């Protein structure tokens, strides 16, 4: 009788021990997978953080590493044009979403003499905050990049603080382009320059060689290659780069769809309903596509994005997953039957 009871006790002990071991193993595996993508729950910042430390808070940076044709990672520095009144709204939304996906980034603003906001990697200079001064501000930013970061990165993206950038797609787009090639890319517009220029609102990117040529052949020289003050920032940049021998890297995809966008996605999708005399019809270098063909599946930028919409975009791109949907099924479409197309079916309307 006693030996039988002892066996049962031993068996129960073994089951409990195995259950505990299994639970511990599952807990360990869960902790290793705790780097699943999460959106920031707040736009508040605890303390001053460097670009590198902020990237650690965005583990989705580790999901994909696009490399150039030589196998090296495409290194991108992003600079974001902002102003003091946007520090706690637009700039913080950028800082909490897409900016840390760049290899390095900073916000460029005027120096008001006030305390710099905690958590924003901010570069400020004595500049006037005015739309007519955007070109002066842009020149100052690229001069700063030339003096401090030129050899640390391959490409340099300029974006506004109400732009959302899919940095992974930018890195993919640039994978076969050498930093030593003097090129720039963005949403290509037609007028004012011989070969076109890139929309400032749609964001644009310059290679290292392009920044070098821009500064050394124009900004530092007393010549007519660049307008010195005032005027439209994006037109001035296009003329300037054209004059120093920088080529355009066309950014449309293999289906003729745009990657850089001067408006939000909804506006481009619905563009067929916009007035035919709206300026974009005339300015766009390539024929405009509308509906879901408006935008490449590897789109890079959208503009006029509110802070809350920036968080929403970040959620849709990096966190939301449609169960059972693969990239292949998205390309070829679903197989559901549109029941409304069947004739002869009777029922209540």
């Amino acid at each position: 009788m006693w030996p039988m009871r002892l066996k049962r006790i031993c068996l129960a002990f073994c089951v409990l021990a195995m259950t505990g071991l299994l639970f511990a193993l599952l807990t360990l595996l869960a902790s290793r997978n705790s780097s699943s993508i999460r959106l920031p729950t707040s736009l508040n910042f605890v303390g001053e953080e460097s670009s590198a430390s902020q990237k650690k808070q965005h583990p989705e940076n580790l999901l994909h590493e696009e490399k150039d044709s030589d196998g090296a990672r495409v290194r991108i520095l992003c600079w974001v044009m902002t102003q003091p009144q946007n520090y706690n709204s637009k700039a913080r939304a950028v800082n909490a979403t897409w900016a840390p996906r760049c290899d390095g980034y900073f916000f460029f603003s005027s120096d008001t003499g006030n305390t710099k906001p905690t958590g924003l990697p901010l570069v400020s200079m004595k500049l006037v905050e005015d739309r007519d001064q955007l070109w002066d501000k842009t020149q100052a930013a690229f001069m700063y990049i030339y003096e401090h970061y030129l050899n640390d990165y391959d490409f340099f993206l300029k974006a506004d603080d109400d732009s959302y950038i899919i940095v992974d797609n930018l890195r993919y787009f640039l994978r076969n382009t050498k930093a030593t090639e003097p090129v720039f890319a963005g949403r290509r517009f037609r007028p004012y320059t011989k070969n076109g220029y890139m929309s400032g609102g749609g964001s644009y990117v310059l290679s290292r060689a392009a920044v070098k040529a821009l500064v050394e052949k124009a900004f530092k020289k007393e010549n007519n290659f660049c307008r010195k003050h005032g005027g439209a920032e994006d037109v001035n940049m296009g003329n300037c780069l054209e004059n120093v021998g920088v080529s355009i890297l066309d950014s449309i995809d293999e289906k003729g769809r745009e990657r850089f966008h001067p408006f939000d996605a909804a506006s481009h999708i619905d563009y067929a309903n916009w007035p035919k005399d709206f300026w974009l019809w005339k300015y766009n270098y390539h024929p405009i596509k509308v509906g879901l063909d408006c935008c490449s599946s590897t789109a890079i930028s959208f503009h006029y994005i509110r802070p809350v919409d920036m968080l929403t975009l970040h959620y849709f791109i990096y966190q939301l997953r449609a169960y059972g949907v693969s990239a292949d099924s998205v390309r070829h479409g679903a197989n559901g039957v549109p029941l409304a197309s069947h004739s002869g079916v009777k029922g209540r309307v």
Side-chain angles (χ1 to χ4, degrees):
M1 189 72 176
W2 175 249
M4 182 62 69
R5 181 176 299 177
L6 182 61
K7 287 181 180 181
R8 289 178 179 175
I9 293 173
C10 291
L11 180 60
F13 178 79
C14 291
V15 170
L16 288 173
M18 291 298 293
T19 302
L21 181 62
L22 180 60
F23 180 78
L25 180 60
L26 290 175
T27 302
L28 177 62
L29 290 174
S31 65
R32 290 187 175 182
N33 290 328
S34 61
S35 61
S36 58
I37 302 170
R38 294 183 179 88
L39 280 180
T41 56
S42 171
L43 294 184
N44 295 323
F45 294 84
V46 176
E48 192 72 31
E49 297 167 312
S50 67
S51 172
S53 67
Q54 290 190 33
K55 287 186 73 174
K56 291 179 182 178
Q57 295 182 8
H58 292 72
E60 62 267 35
N61 283 289
L62 305 177
L63 293 179
H64 182 68
E65 185 174 286
E66 196 61 54
K67 298 182 178 180
D68 65 19
S69 55
D70 290 335
R73 177 181 171 86
V74 180
R75 299 171 300 170
I76 299 173
L77 182 144
C78 304
W79 75 270
V80 183
M81 187 179 291
T82 191
Q83 52 186 310
Q85 67 188 53
N86 292 344
Y87 290 166
N88 291 319
S89 53
K90 296 177 181 180
R92 285 187 174 234
V94 170
N95 198 50
T97 55
W98 64 264
R101 301 190 70 81
C102 305
D103 296 282
Y105 72 99
F106 64 85
F107 293 83
F108 196 81
S109 179
S110 60
D111 187 356
T112 61
N114 297 329
T115 303
K116 292 183 178 181
T118 301
L120 288 182
L122 185 66
V123 175
S124 57
M125 293 186 176
K126 294 290 184 181
L127 297 166
V128 177
E129 285 295 352
D130 187 273
R131 186 169 182 81
D132 291 336
Q133 301 297 318
L134 289 181
W135 175 233
D136 297 59
K137 198 172 177 180
T138 301
Q139 291 181 81
F142 276 107
M143 282 291 292
Y144 181 83
I145 286 171
Y146 175 86
E147 293 169 357
H148 295 90
Y149 298 114
L150 183 66
N151 295 317
D152 296 331
Y153 300 93
D154 304 310
F155 297 93
F156 303 86
L157 174 84
K158 175 264 172 186
D160 291 344
D161 59 9
D162 59 349
S163 296
Y164 188 93
I165 308 297
I166 301 95
V167 180
D168 307 75
N169 287 349
L170 176 61
R171 192 172 281 116
Y172 172 78
F173 167 65
L174 295 169
R175 71 195 184 285
N176 294 322
T177 304
K178 302 295 184 184
T180 52
E181 299 176 34
V183 295
F184 76 122
R187 179 63 170 247
R188 193 174 180 182
F189 283 169
R190 183 177 299 280
Y192 307 122
T193 63
K194 180 180 178 181
N195 296 314
Y197 67 97
M198 305 306 161
S199 162
S203 304
Y204 52 81
V205 62
L206 280 67
S207 67
R208 185 192 310 130
V211 174
K212 191 173 188 293
L214 178 69
V215 173
E216 294 179 357
K217 295 181 180 180
F219 291 174
K220 287 189 171 184
K221 300 286 186 180
E222 290 296 329
N223 54 39
N224 296 322
F225 285 173
C226 288
R227 182 169 179 164
K228 300 304 179 185
H229 303 285
E233 165 244 332
D234 47 8
V235 175
N236 289 347
M237 179 61 77
N239 278 313
C240 211
L241 292 172
E242 188 173 280
N243 290 335
V244 299
V246 174
S247 301
I248 289 175
L249 178 65
D250 218 329
S251 62
I252 58 171
D253 69 12
E254 64 280 359
K255 295 182 179 180
R257 301 173 301 186
E258 301 279 2
R259 286 189 169 99
F260 292 82
H261 302 92
F263 299 107
D264 61 277
S267 296
H268 287 285
I269 290 172
D270 190 47
Y271 198 70
N273 295 317
W274 284 49
K276 295 304 179 184
D277 59 351
F278 188 69
W279 61 266
L280 189 60
W281 292 106
K282 180 175 63 176
Y283 273 56
N284 215 66
Y285 191 89
H286 298 286
I288 292 179
K289 293 179 177 290
V290 297
L292 293 179
D293 282 333
C294 71
C295 314
S296 174
S297 56
T298 53
I300 292 169
S301 73
F302 293 99
H303 190 215
Y304 296 126
I305 310 299
R306 300 179 305 161
V308 65
D309 294 330
M310 205 166 288
L311 290 169
T312 303
L313 270 174
H314 201 72
Y315 165 75
F316 279 126
I317 294 171
Y318 292 109
Q319 183 165 337
L320 180 66
R321 296 292 182 268
Y323 177 76
V325 176
S326 66
D328 188 65
S329 67
V330 170
R331 282 194 298 270
H332 298 291
N335 296 317
V337 178
L339 299 179
S341 67
H342 288 261
S343 59
V345 179
K346 296 180 180 180
R348 287 185 293 180
V349 177

